Each structure stands twice: as structure tokens, then as C-alpha cells.
Amino acid sequence: MTKYRINKTRFVDQTKTVSFTFDGKKYHGFEGDTLASALLSNGIHLIGRSFKYHRPRGIMSCGSEEPNAICQINDNTDLTEPNVRATEIELYEGLKASSQNCWPSLNFDIGGINNLISPFLPAGFYYKTFMWPKSFWKKIYEPLIRLSAGLGKSPTQPDPDIYDHKHVHCDVLVIGGGISGIVSAKIAAKNNLKTILIEDKNILGGSTIYQNNKNFIIDNQKSNEWLMNEISELEKLDNLIIKTRTSLAAFHSYNYLLAKENISDHLPLDKKNGSIRQRLWKIRADKVIIAAGAIERPLIFNNNDRPGIILANSVKKYLDFYGVSTGLNNIIFTNNDSAYETAVSLFEKGISVKIVDIRKKSSSNIVKNAVDLGIKIYWNSTVVNTFGYKKIKSIEIMNLSEDGSNVTGNKHKIQCDCLSISGGWTPMVHMHTQSGGKLDFREIDQVFVPSEKSENHINVGSCNGDFELEEIVKNTNNKVKKFLNINEGGFDKISVLCSKETEKKNIWLLPNTISESKTKSFIDFQNDSTAKDIKLALREGFKSIEHVKRYTTTGMATDQGKLSNMHALGIIADTAGVKMGTLGTTTFRPPFTPLTFGAIVGRSVGKFFDIVRKTSIHEWHVQNNAKFENVGQWKRPWYYPINNENLHEAVQRESKAARDSAGILDASTLGKIDIQGSDASEFLNRVYTNAWSKLGIGKCRYGLMLNEDGMVYDDGVTTRLGENHYLMTTTTGGAANVLSKLEDYLQTEWPDLDVYLTSVTDHYSTASICGPNSKKILKKLFPNKDFSDEAFPHMSYQNAIIDKIECRIMRISFTGELSYEINIESKYGKSLWENCIAAGEEYKITPYGTETMHLLRAEKGFIIVGQDTDGTMTPIDLQMDWIVSKKKYDFIGKRSLYRSDTMREDRKQLVGLLTDDPNEILEEGAQIVSELEKKPVEMIGHVTSSYFSPNLNKSIALAVVKGGKKMNGQKLFVPMENKNINVTVSDFIFLDKENKRINA
Amino acid sequence: MFVINCPYCGERDQSEFSCGGEAHIVRPKQPTELSDDEWAEYLFMRKNIKGVQFERWNHAHGCRKWFNMVRDTSNDKIYAVYKMGEKPPVI
């Protein structure tokens, strides 16, 4: 055993040695240790440097509230993890930890100079200093701040670990496995309620499990022994799930909670591989019992941050749970009785201990116990200073004045190697407030306690402000019975003996002889904010606690102010002369402790991040070297490069081929909605701008759909398959939204219509063949079919059979060329496509992607909803008046087309743009101006689509320009970073205005 | 995340639903008869209450049915769920 491992306990297996490194040096601990307890057993207190002043800092607590002892795990590797609390990470074989925020080393840190110049680094230093001159910001201030910002180092590689999510429902969720949680879970589970008990530590029992003091007796046993028996009883219950190493992260409305389970973080390296690292539990509980416990408060005095200054109950836990002494010459500095348990325990292990108490006396059993043992107590005293740079060596104490506002008498110096501090207890009300609960302030011991009104959750134990063992057990029993509507609690006749505290005293900021400006009384240890920072903020006019918090950064570190918030509030209240209860608290937001991104994301990484939709022809595209573009969740062929062609070269080739001979496009992704019912025609009349009643069976029609505000929402061709049967196509990206919008109108506005909608997007694959030779290819594919213009005219459809499989052929065109679309059941899509390619081989049929499709339709001036429109374009703006029925009484959006605003003549309207230099290609999104000299330059529109057309051998663009309809022939400018491009407004149909090619 | 009792499917997590805004705004039968102001009132004006609000919800990732719900927007307490076309309850 090492010098500081002085005690054998049942919680640490001292037969199983575990080796680890800290800052490169090898040490030993035991199975059951945390990194913190193992370091302390090796006499190591100095763990890191503080954020702002780079002061040496040591382990201060034993749990998630730890502000100082945060480490880098696996430093200098790609997968390093920063800001891990040494008090929470369980020791495993091969653990590599390093200190943070120090350079070149922990023992000699250059940043420590900040400590010497600290008078110049007050609250708001950055806000005040980096204001001027403005030119300094980018080159000097920002790099400087970035250098000193942040704690630890981020990993540089993607996280290789596996994370998991689990959804569970239960009758009762108990948060916290301390004595009150155990009592609650037992009552619930014994009464046939499906119960889950979660505890963030590796074993149940909270602080009672190592209490081991004759002043605390339950049913004639020491409290820890009684609890040990209860736990073994608990483990036998069938309908209780106990989850240790599981911490609650968030408590949302309707009892929806998130908890993070550590599954392999504590395992040796060789056992971690392949295991899930953490699991996020998503729990929906009928009832929630919060038994989250309380966190011990520090005391605020000058130089209260040295390594070796540790919370008193943590000192006791290291001693009685881990068997480690935090020092051999202890002083306890307290304002309450609970620290006396630590004193008694230290004394019983033969460790020197003295007590400094700010109270004048206390007459409780535990204090009497300490007095009887002969422990020296300095009543009515306070620590005014501490000494020792890297480890505490001594303290100075003075007497308090009558009212506690000042110090009197002489300074008295006492040597020590550990100072245990206790400022009382703060109930963990985080979960309660996260769920929407309010707080009440209890004056007697200066704590915020839950104000309980919810029917869905209760708080029990010390998180409810019950600090004494007897009230914890008895109140928990009674509250849980009432909450769960149970007659027998199981603890109704229990007898509890415990020490009871009667004298209470609290001073948020302990007085000193020297002026405040010369003291460093830390409140937020991690962010280095001190009492004087808070007072400065108040002097500078900050009043709201939320503002003071942000200005001084108190409570904003990775520990989220678990130790600091109450003192900040207390000092603000004292300084401003208001009552703490009226001041309120800052907001407690989830997560309670930091969550890994991995746990939040779970399995939704890599290829599981989002759904990928592929057409049935996808494999062929891959084999033929297609580059893909994401359209919604779809993967669509973008272009098919041959021999190292770039995008431009491939698109020029594909576009030319489609107009000169034949091209083929996979159009399967277009949304398809099957519409049936006796009112189908009437329905289409209402949702599209044009008329549908007279569309013959077997005919196709293009439709434009508006929002009720008159703006273009979607477009596509709809085919009448039968008297009461239509097939609507939508844009690829709009399919789901269109269906949902149509359903909305059917279900809510027009429930009288007999119409049924079914999404059939995935049911059919579509090959679209266009170009002057397309008819010849179709003839080869369907030799028995008459493809003459009379028998099969443009905008019509026919059923056909290929390889014994039925399909639909629509003669429709989005390119302006003679064009056919063949729809076939998806499973035959690839086979159909291969047939088309084979039949088209003699015409050099060229597969083309979305980019070429966009170019071809732009040559014809066809819009793409979402590219040439942006939710502010009416059909009139798009110069598509021809599709808006004047005769129909109503359709969605019709009335809006007559609003004064939509009728303005200076709205942005669709135009064509030709660059004066036909080789100059405009950038999509570029702004358009009419006058370059007038300042400020007025932007009158922007480019929406722009291409170099190989068929016209010049650059073409579509744009929206204010009042553009009347600007044909007008010269405009497109100003770019380095030049102004001269353009002329033109007709937006660049090719084949007479529509001759459609019947070529 | 709250739980919604879909009138067709029963209790489901909120993530299966999408909210369609204020309920009981009837699309005018004769829009062409309306003045710009009257049409704008239908088109744009919503109450956006902090407190009890009547809302349209859609079980988008479930039965796809629209229905109405009475919810306190300040604390997400749900007072009633009822089908389209049914009379709104008195809260």
C-alpha cells in the first residue's frame, strides 16, 4: 500500500492492481478506484491549471460537480478526449490521462504569469479590451483569443466507438441510487410497478453506504450496514431494473427523460474493443421520483483554490470508500455539522485533524462525539488566507465579529496538508426545474427547494431539502406512498437515530482584513471568477443574475456552476441588499453533465445518418461512371463523364447528343401520386391553376400548383388514366410535401369530395427518351405499336407491353424534343433501361443526368420550381399567364393573384438574359443592376439559371428582374468581384419557340 | 417531447406528428367576393396565443390523418383531441 492508502474498504479490491499513466508517468491504483482516488493514493493533488490565471489546481470533490480535476484522455492521439472529470472516470488498465491547460508542463506553466497580472484581468476584460481599434480584430485579437480559448484538445479523427439508443417505458423511474432512491424503488417495485432505478456511480448507496458512524442507526444497525442489506434485497426484485453508471441528462415534459449509460468506459482497453461505449436511454415514465441528492458547498475565502483544499464529504468518501487519505495533517473548515462526520472518521483512522467552525457552538451528537474524542475545534473562526503554491501548507484563521461581517483579534497560523471545507449542502434541483418545476427559498439553511405541484413527479431525500437521516427515510416513505397511491410503504415502522443539527450559520463571502480587491476568493473555480468580479459587475450596473453570470462567466464552465451558482447568488443578494428568494436562480438547462456527441447521435452516423433513396436503375448508373447529385434523399445521376471529362465537358456532349440524336434520363425520382375517386377531376380543378374537366382519357396535361398566397408551389404533368383515375407527377423534392398538402385540403376543407390519394413514387421506374431519333428507338422496343403523330400524339399516353411486362408510355417532353417516358413497375426498371440502351445503340443513345436536363429545359425556357422560383413568384411573374384559368371560379391561390401586392407591375419577373460576350457564363445567384454609377447600387434582380448552350453555341441565362416583362432588349449589368458583365434582357425561350422539334 | 392521443391510433410520441397551426379557420367559400383585407385576414392573420390554443395536427408519420387539439402553449398541457368536423370542446 502507498503512503496515502491507509484503509481497506469493501468498495476497492486491493488485490487487483491497475496501472495507468498521468502526464506520462506510470502509477498504480486498484480495481474500484476512480482516476482521482488513484492519484490521491499516490499523493498527487496537482491535476491542472485554471482557465484564466493558470493557477495550480487539485481535486476538489468526488463527483460530477468537480471543477478542477479535468483531464485529457489519450493525449497526442487522433482520438483524444478532453475535459474528462478525474472524479468520475473509473480506473482501467492502460488508462492514459494528462493535465490540461498548461504549457510547457503542469509544474512549470508559462500561462501562470496571468496570475501575476491578474489585477489587469477583471470581469469583462475581453469585452473592454478588444473593442478598439477595429482593424486589430481580425489579425491580432481574434487569433490571440483563440489561442487561449477552450479547455483541452479536440480529437482530430471521427469517433470510432459505437453508441446506442434505447427506448423504454416504465411505471416509475427513480433517479438516484442513494438511500432515498433505494427506499423509493423498493416501495414501487414491491407494489408491482415496473420500476427503473438509475444511479450514475458504479454502485448503489450514495453517501450513506460509507457513513459507518455510531450516531447514525437504522433499525439497530449502523446506517451503512442497514443500507447494504436493503440493496441486496432490492437486487432480488423482478420488476425492478437497476442501472448503475447511468446518469440522467435531461427531464423533458410529459415525463420524457434521457439518461446516459456508460457501458465500456470503465473496462480495460482490450475489453473495450467492439463493445458499445455508451447508451442513451430514452425513457417515458408514468411517474418520476427524483432522488438526486445534494452537493456540498465550498466556502468562499481568500485563496480558497489551492490543491489540497477539498470538500469535506469528499475527503470522507476518499477515506471510507476508496481507503485513501487526502492528507495526514487535516484541518476541517465548516459552517455545519456534516463535516464533523469527516473529522470523526479521520480521527478514528489515526489521522491528525482540527476543526475551524464559523459558528459559536453546536450541541448535536456528532459534534459532542468530536469533542469527546478530543478533536481541537476553533469556534467562531474563519480562514482568512492559505499558503502553499502547488499544495496547501498552512492557513491563517481569525475570529469573527459578533455579526459575522468582519474579523477580529489576531491571525493564527496553522500548518496542514489538507483543508476540508464545507459550506453546507445544495439540493440538486436541476431535474425538477428542467421538468418545469419551480423553487422556493428556505431561509433557515439558505437553500432552494422544489416547490411541488406536479402530479407526475416528486422529489425525495436531500434533493428535496431533507438533510437528516431520519427525515430522509421517513419523509421518503410517506411521500412515495402518497404519490403512488399505496397503503403499505414497507418502511412505516422503521426506527432511525441520527445526529440533528440545531445551530445554523451561513456567510456567503467570508470577511477578511485585507481589501477585497487584493483577495482571490474563488467562486467559479473552473472559469476563475472571484467574488470581486461579481461585485465589479454589480458596480458596473448589471442587476439580473443572468447578466452577471454571462459578464463574469460564473457558472458557465463545463461543470455548469454546480459548486458556484449558489455563492454567486448569495453574494449578489448580500451586495445588492435584496433577499435571495426574490433574486431567483439562473436557468438549469439540460444536460446535467456533459453528454458525448456520440451518445446523442447514437447509430445515426455514416450511412445511417440519413435515408438514401436509389432508383432501381442505380446500379447501371454506378457501372457507367455516373457522378451523383443529392436531390432530397434521392441519389440522381448528375452527369456521366467519359475519359476524364469534367462536368462542363460531359454536359456539353450529353446536351448535344440529346438534341442531335437521342438521350435517355432516369426520371424515376419524380413524385407520383395516384388519384382516384368520382370527384378526382373536380379535385384537380381546385388544386391546379388550369382546367381539368375536359381532359380526355389517355391525355396528359401540365399543371401548376400554387399556395393559397398565390405563389408557385409545384408543377408536373398529370395523366388521365381513366374516367375517375389520374396519375399526378410532382417535382422530385416536392413529392412528400405535395401529398401532405393535398391530403390536408381533402381532409379539412373538402371532406365532401370523393377522392383517394396514394403515393406511388417508389412503385414505378421511369426511363425518359428524347431526341429526333427517339421515335425510332421506341418502335424497336414496341414493334407492334403505332407511333405516328395521329395515333400517338404529343401529350398522350398508351399502355404497352415489353418482355411480357405491362408499362405505360407517356409522350411528354421537358426538353422540347420529341420525347417519350416509359413507366414500368420498379422491379423491372433496370431491365427496361437496359433494353432502351440496347435499342438505342445504333443511334448512339446517350444517358444524361440532371445537369444536362437542366440545360435542355433552360434552352426551352421551362422553369424549375425551386430554382427559378423561390416562394415569391406568382405564375404571372413567371409569364405563365396562359396556364391560369380565367373561367374557373376558384382554385388554391386564385384570390391572391388579385391582391394589390401580387398585381404590382414592378415585381420580379422571369426574363432571359444574354451576355454581350457569348462565351461569358453568368453565375447563378449573381445580382443584376441597371445603373452602376448611382450609389447605393440598386439590385433589381438576380440570375436563377445559367448555362453555356452547345446547341445555340452561346451562354444563356434565366433571371428574375423587377418589371422585367417590359424590359426586352434593355442593357443591364451583372457586377462581379472583379468586373461588370454586360447583359441584354431577352425572351426566355431561347430555342425552337415554334415548338417544331416536339413533332420532329 | 409530449405524447399525443391520436383520435385514430391512440397515444404516440410527438415526433410522429406535425403541427398545422391554428384550427377552425375556414377557407372562405367565395374568395372572389372578398376584399383584399378580408382575404388577408384569412390568409395571414393568426392568434399565436400564449396559453390555451386550438390547433390542427397531422399524424404525419402514422395514419396521416388530420385532427384538432387543444393545447396550452405555455406548458404543453393537452386538454382535448378531437376529429376534424367535430365541435370544439369548451375549455
Side-chain angles (χ1 to χ4, degrees), chain A residues 622-750:
Chain A
V622 172
Q623 281 158 16
N624 286 272
N625 200 28
K627 299 276 182 246
F628 289 91
E629 157 174 61
N630 294 329
V631 183
Q633 290 164 327
W634 285 103
K635 294 274 173 208
R636 294 199 73 179
W638 188 16
Y639 61 103
Y640 299 81
I642 298 175
N643 299 333
N644 301 323
E645 278 176 331
N646 62 23
L647 170 69
H648 178 73
E649 289 158 355
V651 168
Q652 296 293 301
R653 173 181 53 75
E654 290 172 10
S655 307
K656 197 107 181 65
R659 293 223 189 272
D660 290 350
S661 179
I664 181 166
L665 171 83
D666 181 355
S668 312
T669 62
L670 286 182
K672 301 182 243 339
I673 300 170
D674 185 274
I675 303 173
Q676 299 193 42
S678 58
D679 292 318
S681 302
E682 171 61 16
F683 180 64
L684 289 173
N685 270 334
R686 295 187 190 183
V687 299
Y688 278 133
T689 60
N690 45 350
W692 290 79
S693 311
K694 289 182 183 149
L695 183 70
I697 294 168
K699 300 289 181 199
C700 313
R701 183 167 286 172
Y702 173 76
L704 200 59
M705 198 183 287
L706 310 184
N707 266 330
E708 204 68 271
D709 62 4
M711 304 304 157
V712 172
Y713 181 68
D714 201 78
D715 68 344
V717 170
T718 296
T719 303
R720 190 165 195 177
L721 302 173
E723 175 64 28
N724 296 323
H725 191 185
Y726 291 83
L727 182 70
M728 174 189 277
T729 60
T730 72
T731 56
T732 297
N737 293 335
V738 169
L739 180 68
S740 140
K741 177 185 159 92
L742 298 184
E743 276 288 350
D744 186 354
Y745 274 92
L746 268 183
Q747 289 182 33
T748 66
E749 298 294 348
W750 310 319

Side-chain angles (χ1 to χ4, degrees), chain A residues 598-641:
Chain A
I600 296 168
V601 175
R603 305 261 173 166
S604 305
V605 291
K607 61 181 176 180
F608 299 120
F609 178 68
D610 195 12
I611 293 161
V612 173
R613 298 175 82 183
K614 296 172 182 171
T615 73
S616 63
I617 312 164
H618 187 83
E619 274 312 299
W620 190 94
H621 304 317
V622 172
Q623 281 158 16
N624 286 272
N625 200 28
K627 299 276 182 246
F628 289 91
E629 157 174 61
N630 294 329
V631 183
Q633 290 164 327
W634 285 103
K635 294 274 173 208
R636 294 199 73 179
W638 188 16
Y639 61 103
Y640 299 81

Side-chain angles (χ1 to χ4, degrees), chain B residues 45-64:
Chain B
M45 297 306 172
R46 299 293 182 271
K47 293 198 193 97
N48 195 21
I49 296 162
K50 181 181 179 184
V52 175
Q53 178 162 281
F54 291 70
E55 296 172 333
R56 287 152 26 92
W57 282 78
N58 182 16
H59 195 183
H61 302 284
C63 64
R64 274 172 40 195

Side-chain angles (χ1 to χ4, degrees), chain A residues 252-254 256 284 708-709 743-745 747-749 757 889-892 895-896 898-900, chain B residues 1-3 13 27 30-36 39 42-43 56 64-66 76-78 84:
Chain A
H252 296 296
S253 56
Y254 282 66
Y256 181 69
R284 184 77 73 175
E708 204 68 271
D709 62 4
E743 276 288 350
D744 186 354
Y745 274 92
Q747 289 182 33
T748 66
E749 298 294 348
L757 307 175
Y889 180 72
D890 192 15
F891 55 82
I892 296 172
R895 176 59 186 84
S896 290
Y898 305 96
R899 290 179 59 234
S900 57
Chain B
M1 187 167 70
F2 40 98
V3 175
D13 274 354
R27 187 171 189 273
Q30 298 179 313
T32 44
E33 314 287 311
L34 301 182
S35 69
D36 270 11
W39 179 247
Y42 159 72
L43 197 56
R56 287 152 26 92
R64 274 172 40 195
K65 282 283 193 184
W66 283 89
D76 287 338
K77 190 170 157 77
I78 297 169
M84 280 292 160

Side-chain angles (χ1 to χ4, degrees), chain B residues 3-13 16-17 59 63 67:
Chain B
V3 175
I4 295 174
N5 191 5
C6 169
Y8 303 93
C9 307
E11 289 191 343
R12 295 289 191 278
D13 274 354
E16 292 185 17
F17 299 83
H59 195 183
C63 64
F67 57 91

